[in-house]
Amino acid sequence: MNQFEGRTAIVTGAATGIGAATAATLAREGAIVCIMDMNREGAEESARAITEEGGRAEVRIVDLGSWEQTRDAIDGFAKAHGRLDIVVHSAGGFPAYVSLIDCPVEAWDPVVNSNLRSMFYLLKAAAPHMMERNFGRFVSLSSMAARSGVNPNPPHYTAAKGGMLALTRQAARDLGPHGITVNAVAPANVETPRTLGIRSAERIAHIQRTTPLGRLAQPQEIANAVVWLASPQASYVTGITMDVNGGATMI
């Protein structure tokens, strides 16, 4: 369709999983994509896969926990291409399951910062470039963990993903007058190496039992929702959370 021809897009966490699928889909439809990640090997592999298909991609290795690195990377990409149209924030996650009582105090900040503070940095750095053209699309990856307690999740991750939904609404209100939409996608469990690596067979079976569709999502299924929110078809959609979870929670 080439619906993103002439557009530029930054996708964080695009070395693997949902981010990689999103970056590839945007590129197939014409966008110039910046893969922003800490995993150089994975990021370069994602970019190589895009270019081998005839798309355009570049890599920027960025610590999203650093305001200076985030700002400089976004400024550099926007200035290099004369515009910034789309930002997809797919980076984040958590290293291991832990209960509220067992969650180490020192583990709280790193998880909250990698998911939520990084979103604030990205919005703050990207918005001025989008405001210059009175156009922009910002989509963040939250989680079903922020919407439902059907499956147990770590408290720092749940809090961070919930904060992302609140920040989505606030940013949508602030940036809407400038032609910028801000939305979130809340996936359930997605079949990626990281997901499978930190979930036991018993937990996977529980997820399957509590999901009406009876399975985990595929990365492309989440990417499809993200790309739609960035597309012209979603031009009048802002401030929402789109649940893509196989029916695991219905609200």
Side-chain angles (χ1 to χ4, degrees):
M1 293 175 61
N2 290 328
Q3 62 180 336
F4 299 112
E5 190 65 40
R7 303 289 193 194
T8 63
I10 290 172
V11 184
T12 72
T16 60
I18 298 169
T22 299
T25 304
L26 288 167
R28 288 188 197 106
E29 299 197 18
I32 301 170
V33 178
C34 174
I35 294 170
M36 197 173 283
D37 207 293
M38 285 285 286
N39 177 356
R40 181 179 296 277
E41 182 179 357
E44 291 178 348
E45 178 57 34
S46 291
R48 183 161 48 250
I50 288 171
T51 57
E52 286 176 354
E53 286 189 351
R56 293 168 289 179
E58 60 186 70
V59 171
R60 291 179 185 256
I61 304 303
V62 181
D63 177 3
L64 295 175
S66 164
W67 161 242
E68 291 77 13
Q69 286 192 38
T70 303
R71 178 198 60 203
D72 292 349
I74 287 179
D75 287 352
F77 179 73
K79 290 174 182 176
H81 297 283
R83 61 193 298 160
L84 176 59
D85 300 297
I86 300 163
V87 174
V88 176
H89 182 30
S90 181
F94 62 92
Y97 278 96
V98 63
S99 71
L100 174 66
I101 299 302
D102 294 332
C103 182
V105 170
E106 61 272 15
W108 183 270
D109 284 353
V111 171
V112 172
N113 291 344
S114 68
N115 289 277
L116 178 56
R117 188 170 70 178
S118 56
M119 179 183 169
F120 166 63
Y121 286 170
L122 287 163
L123 279 163
K124 185 173 176 63
H129 297 287
M130 295 176 173
M131 291 166 67
E132 287 178 3
R133 303 179 64 84
N134 203 42
F135 176 87
R137 301 284 182 264
F138 191 101
V139 185
S140 65
L141 271 296
S142 181
S143 171
M144 191 181 86
R147 309 279 272 176
S148 168
V150 170
N151 295 310
N153 284 285
H156 40 16
Y157 177 75
T158 301
K161 292 303 189 181
M164 291 174 71
L165 300 188
L167 183 55
T168 293
R169 294 191 297 271
Q170 181 67 49
R173 178 174 290 277
D174 288 353
L175 300 178
H178 302 283
I180 302 167
T181 66
V182 184
N183 293 293
V185 173
N189 296 271
V190 183
E191 191 172 332
T192 66
R194 184 172 67 177
T195 293
L196 298 177
I198 63 174
R199 289 163 175 80
S200 65
E202 291 77 15
R203 189 174 293 272
I204 295 294
H206 170 76
I207 292 166
Q208 293 168 335
R209 284 195 307 271
T210 56
T211 302
L213 291 185
R215 62 177 176 83
L216 278 67
Q218 295 301 309
Q220 188 64 52
E221 293 177 302
I222 311 303
N224 291 340
V226 173
V227 170
W228 183 79
L229 287 170
S231 76
Q233 287 75 28
S235 58
Y236 201 61
V237 178
T238 194
I240 73 157
T241 299
M242 181 181 290
D243 296 298
V244 187
N245 56 38
T249 180
M250 302 179 191
I251 59 175

